[in-house]
Amino acid sequence: MREEVVKVLVREFEPERDREAVEILEKSCEVGPSGKMALFTDLLGDPLCRVRHSPCFFMLVAETCGPLSLIVGVVRGCIKTVTCGKKANRSPSGEKQYTPIYTKLAYLLGLRVSPAYRRMGIGLTLVQNMEQWFRSKGAEYSYIATDTENEASVRLFTRRSGYTKFRTPSILVHPVFRHPLPLHHRRIKLLRLSPSAAELLYRRRLSTTEFFPRDIGSILRNKLSLGTFLALPSDHPWTDLHGFLAAPPDSWAVLSVWNCKALFRLEVRGAGRWRRWLSFVTRVVDGALPCLGIPSVPDVFRPFGMYLMYGIEGEGKGAEEMVRVLCRYVHNLGREGGCKVVVAEVGEEEPLRKGIPYWRGMSCAEDLWCVKRLGEDYSDGAVGDWTKAAPGKSIFVDPREF
């Protein structure tokens, strides 16, 4: 089908002038592919909320030309420095070590086009203009995340904008029940790490992981960070993180929590009456008889918030169970904080994936990340062309961009 073309003016978002129009546009657009049920996002009156916590960000709107100009499209972008590979070297003792190779990476997100103005070239125009800004800031690569079933989005980026399918992580979603989950951690103890201790641990353990942000400290110190939690054997003689790193136990696990609820709300629309009735019944039973531990379905048919678990790492035979305990702990935090779901996004081969509880029907088995090299004049460096690099076992999901 041939696309109709409409003339638009692409310009920088102006908060006072454009806030209301962008909010209306956002509320008219579903997230992901259309179907019987669709997910809608409410940015709580701040169109920049999904990028403003990044070190460098920008937002563009597309406005129709003419006397009755309308904002019919929007896109956001941010830039950071991340790990794209690792370099082997030898320590003074002769032990093989790895150091991260960094690149300046741009992330393109929040692309929305009004339903009445789709298939008119507006999305492509917004993407091209945002890429110009990325290049002006020296970004070497750009990437996007979309749903593998969103054919229109995949076609726009891979066929028309030069992006390559790169990674397919999974978004694992677990509902928050009305009853707290028992932790069952008589042999496991949980500690909360300070931001400085968490930063040191992540730099030691995850700095060579793909997409690891060089400014991890600013993430951990952000007001939206709800903490970093470490699981250890209950008999481990904890003193401080330096002692832990010098002599770690046989098994341990760690993760951090980000408060997405303070940024945006989600809402499922289009569900049939029987789905709503069934979820309501489970909540009633769970509320009346919490001792039974009924896995109730939260009310996701009205605006709801979530917590994101990121920086999931661990070691040893018991790490999987420790991650499971940590996830239960975050579930209970979400229950106290009024969230309806807790979420994690992990790589295809993530070793600790089995320890993360989730509901298949609420999760996304394959989130699609596509990447594009923005300029051939950049030096290949030690990693070569990152778009051609084989995937590692893990990826680091930046909570600022979820």
Side-chain angles (χ1 to χ4, degrees):
M1 185 183 294
R2 188 175 179 180
E3 290 189 356
E4 181 183 351
V5 178
V6 64
K7 285 188 176 182
V8 294
L9 169 67
V10 175
R11 58 174 176 80
E12 183 177 355
F13 168 75
E14 299 177 20
E16 297 302 320
R17 172 183 173 186
D18 303 327
R19 185 185 304 273
E20 185 176 351
V22 169
E23 184 176 354
I24 293 171
L25 170 63
E26 292 277 355
K27 289 183 177 180
S28 72
C29 297
E30 73 279 2
V31 179
S34 300
K36 292 183 180 179
M37 291 193 295
L39 191 63
F40 289 77
T41 307
D42 181 357
L43 300 180
L44 302 180
D46 182 6
L48 282 167
C49 69
R50 291 190 64 198
V51 291
R52 70 165 63 255
H53 295 278
S54 296
C56 181
F57 60 89
F58 197 52
M59 181 170 170
L60 293 171
V61 296
E63 188 176 43
T64 56
C65 299
L68 296 175
S69 60
L70 296 172
I71 290 180
V72 295
V74 62
V75 70
R76 301 161 182 83
C78 53
I79 301 173
K80 60 185 178 181
T81 300
V82 305
T83 297
C84 63
K86 58 185 179 182
K87 180 171 59 177
N89 50 48
R90 295 284 179 182
S91 68
S93 63
E95 183 183 356
K96 193 174 184 179
Q97 296 180 332
Y98 293 95
T99 55
I101 300 171
Y102 292 108
T103 190
K104 202 167 186 180
L105 176 68
Y107 182 47
L108 193 152
L109 74 161
L111 175 63
R112 304 282 185 267
V113 176
S114 173
Y117 286 84
R118 291 173 184 171
R119 300 191 65 81
M120 296 181 182
I122 295 172
L124 179 61
T125 300
L126 284 166
V127 169
Q128 291 171 340
N129 278 265
M130 184 58 76
E131 288 178 350
Q132 289 179 11
W133 181 76
F134 290 160
R135 291 187 179 94
S136 73
K137 297 297 181 181
E140 297 178 87
Y141 296 93
S142 171
Y143 84 109
I144 63 98
T146 188
D147 191 299
T148 53
E149 297 180 4
N150 192 334
E151 295 179 4
S153 178
V154 173
R155 184 168 57 248
L156 169 64
F157 288 105
T158 61
R159 297 186 187 179
R160 305 191 63 188
S161 302
Y163 284 75
T164 301
K165 294 180 181 180
F166 193 56
R167 302 291 181 256
T168 52
S170 299
I171 300 176
L172 307 179
V173 181
H174 193 280
V176 173
F177 306 139
R178 286 198 171 185
H179 64 274
L181 294 181
L183 298 181
H184 297 310
H185 64 286
R186 285 179 296 175
R187 292 178 296 177
I188 299 172
K189 63 182 177 184
L190 304 183
L191 301 175
R192 179 172 183 150
L193 299 180
S194 68
S196 58
E199 179 180 359
L200 176 58
L201 177 57
Y202 281 137
R203 290 196 185 279
R204 288 283 187 90
R205 296 292 308 189
L206 293 177
S207 65
T208 57
T209 300
E210 265 191 330
F211 293 93
F212 181 82
R214 198 171 193 172
D215 66 335
I216 182 66
S218 64
I219 297 174
L220 298 168
R221 292 174 177 81
N222 192 288
K223 63 182 180 180
L224 297 173
S225 177
L226 298 180
T228 299
F229 304 93
L230 179 66
L232 298 167
S234 56
D235 59 355
H236 177 74
W238 172 267
T239 53
D240 55 25
L241 189 68
H242 293 283
F244 166 82
L245 292 172
D250 292 337
S251 297
W252 60 273
V254 67
L255 61 74
S256 297
V257 187
W258 187 262
N259 184 12
C260 296
K261 181 174 179 283
L263 298 176
F264 57 84
R265 298 284 196 277
L266 299 170
E267 180 182 355
V268 176
R269 299 180 190 171
R273 288 186 177 180
W274 71 272
R275 289 180 183 271
R276 293 173 179 268
W277 178 83
L278 181 61
S279 66
F280 172 74
V281 169
T282 64
R283 291 194 300 275
V284 170
V285 176
D286 191 11
L289 300 169
C291 58
L292 297 180
I294 300 294
S296 56
V297 181
D299 187 2
V300 294
F301 310 113
R302 290 188 292 181
F304 66 92
M306 71 177 193
Y307 285 169
L308 174 69
M309 300 180 291
Y310 68 100
I312 300 170
E313 171 67 348
E315 190 174 66
K317 293 181 179 180
E320 194 175 291
E321 177 59 26
M322 289 179 170
V323 167
R324 190 171 292 110
V325 171
L326 286 168
C327 290
R328 289 175 185 154
Y329 180 77
V330 177
H331 169 280
N332 294 344
L333 285 181
R335 177 177 173 271
E336 294 171 3
C339 290
K340 301 300 183 184
V341 298
V342 292
V343 181
E345 185 164 16
V346 297
E348 302 170 72
E349 304 297 328
E350 171 56 52
L352 296 175
R353 179 175 177 150
K354 291 182 179 179
I356 304 171
Y358 67 97
W359 280 21
R360 190 180 301 274
M362 300 180 75
S363 302
C364 174
E366 285 193 351
D367 192 27
L368 177 61
W369 290 11
C370 299
V371 69
K372 177 179 180 177
R373 198 175 189 189
L374 292 176
E376 295 301 326
D377 55 331
Y378 295 114
S379 170
D380 277 350
V383 74
D385 184 352
W386 190 22
T387 65
K388 298 179 175 63
K393 288 187 176 181
S394 301
I395 57 173
F396 193 97
V397 176
D398 191 329
R400 297 172 297 190
E401 300 169 359
F402 191 82

